[in-house]
């Protein structure tokens, strides 16, 4: 299997690594190389003949570290750009949205007030109309009652007069006079003495 970077030759070390540093637990040498297959730092002996990483993708540890540093820098730059975008959004867009929300709420509030005012005005007009209608009905009822009172008072007066006349006839007339007077009385009174009940 091919290797990345320069693969150390059998029995020879790849050169001095950074000192001091962690040592290989198997060989006691500096971990100056990086095995891409096992994704871990290894020593020169691990990459050499008989080493567990022989034939793996091997590169110098400092190259791998530099690659990681570059990735971290790129990530930091992306994060910084995202932060800048968020800050710009918060500074430029959110205030506008907030102002629009305030304006929309104010317009909606005014609309509600106008509609309620219209409804209130209509209700007041309808209330006044209904009150006037009720008052008119009450006046008509009172007038009707007064008219009926006058009518029935007159009827009572007339009935009382008729009754008085009848009692007089019974008291003061003999048989022939009673018959004569009764016929005259019935012709004159007709149905006037009829009761409404």
């Amino acid at each position: 299997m091919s290797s990345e970077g320069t693969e150390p030759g059998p029995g020879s070390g790849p050169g001095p690594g950074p000192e001091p540093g962690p040592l290989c637990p198997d060989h006691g040498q500096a971990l100056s190389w990086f095995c891409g297959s096992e994704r871990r730092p290894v020593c020169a002996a691990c990459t050499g003949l008989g080493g567990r990483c022989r034939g793996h993708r091997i590169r110098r540890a400092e190259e791998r570290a530099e690659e990681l540093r570059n990735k971290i820098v790129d990530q930091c730059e992306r994060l910084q750009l995202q932060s800048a975008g968020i800050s710009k959004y918060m500074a430029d867009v959110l205030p506008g949205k907030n102002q629009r929300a305030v304006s929309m709420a104010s317009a909606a509030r005014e609309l509600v007030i106008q509609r309620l005012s219209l409804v209130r005005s209509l209700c007041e007009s309808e209330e006044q109309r209904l009150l006037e209608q009720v008052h008119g009905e009450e006046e008509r009822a009172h007038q009707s009652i007064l008219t009926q009172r006058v009518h029935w008072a007159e009827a009572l007066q007339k009935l009382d007069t008729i009754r008085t006349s009848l009692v007089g006839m019974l008291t003061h007339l003999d048989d022939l006079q009673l018959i004569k007077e009764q016929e005259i009385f019935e012709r004159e009174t007709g149905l006037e003495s009829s009761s409404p009940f």
Side-chain angles (χ1 to χ4, degrees):
M1 187 173 182
S2 61
S3 304
E4 294 181 2
T6 303
E7 182 177 336
S12 63
E19 295 291 345
L23 301 179
C24 175
D26 296 330
H27 305 102
Q29 297 182 20
L31 300 173
S32 303
W33 298 86
F34 178 78
C35 177
S37 299
E38 297 188 5
R39 304 190 63 79
R40 67 185 184 89
V42 295
C43 71
C46 292
T47 66
L49 185 62
R52 62 180 296 175
C53 296
R54 176 73 175 177
H56 291 181
R57 292 177 294 112
I58 303 298
R59 62 192 303 187
R60 297 190 69 85
E62 60 219 32
E63 293 177 2
R64 173 61 177 168
E66 184 65 21
E67 179 186 36
L68 292 175
R69 289 190 184 93
N70 290 336
K71 287 183 177 180
I72 292 173
V73 170
D74 291 342
Q75 183 65 23
C76 288
E77 290 177 352
R78 284 194 294 270
L79 293 174
Q80 186 173 0
L81 289 175
Q82 290 178 357
S83 298
I86 293 173
S87 297
K88 182 175 177 58
Y89 178 82
M90 293 177 64
D92 299 341
V93 179
L94 285 184
K97 286 190 173 184
N98 183 66
Q99 185 59 41
R100 284 193 297 273
V102 171
S103 299
M104 290 176 63
S106 178
R109 191 178 296 109
E110 289 296 326
L111 181 60
V112 169
I113 292 174
Q114 290 176 6
R115 289 181 176 177
L116 288 177
S117 177
L118 176 61
V119 171
R120 187 180 298 110
S121 176
L122 292 174
C123 288
E124 289 175 353
S125 299
E126 183 66 9
E127 179 186 17
Q128 183 64 28
R129 186 188 70 81
L130 292 174
L131 288 175
E132 290 176 355
Q133 181 177 345
V134 170
H135 181 70
E137 292 293 336
E138 183 183 18
E139 288 294 323
R140 281 190 290 275
H142 283 309
Q143 188 62 40
S144 175
I145 292 171
L146 290 175
T147 301
Q148 291 182 47
R149 284 182 182 276
V150 172
H151 171 77
W152 294 119
E154 292 175 351
L156 286 174
Q157 181 68 33
K158 183 172 288 188
L159 290 175
D160 187 62
T161 302
I162 293 172
R163 188 177 64 254
T164 301
S165 176
L166 291 174
V167 171
M169 291 170 62
L170 290 174
T171 305
H172 301 98
L173 299 180
D174 58 23
D175 293 344
L176 294 177
Q177 290 175 327
L178 179 63
I179 294 172
K180 181 180 178 180
E181 291 294 333
Q182 180 65 25
E183 291 175 355
I184 296 172
F185 179 78
E186 288 178 352
R187 285 199 304 270
E188 290 179 351
T189 58
L191 301 175
E192 292 295 333
S193 60
S194 61
S195 171
F197 304 106

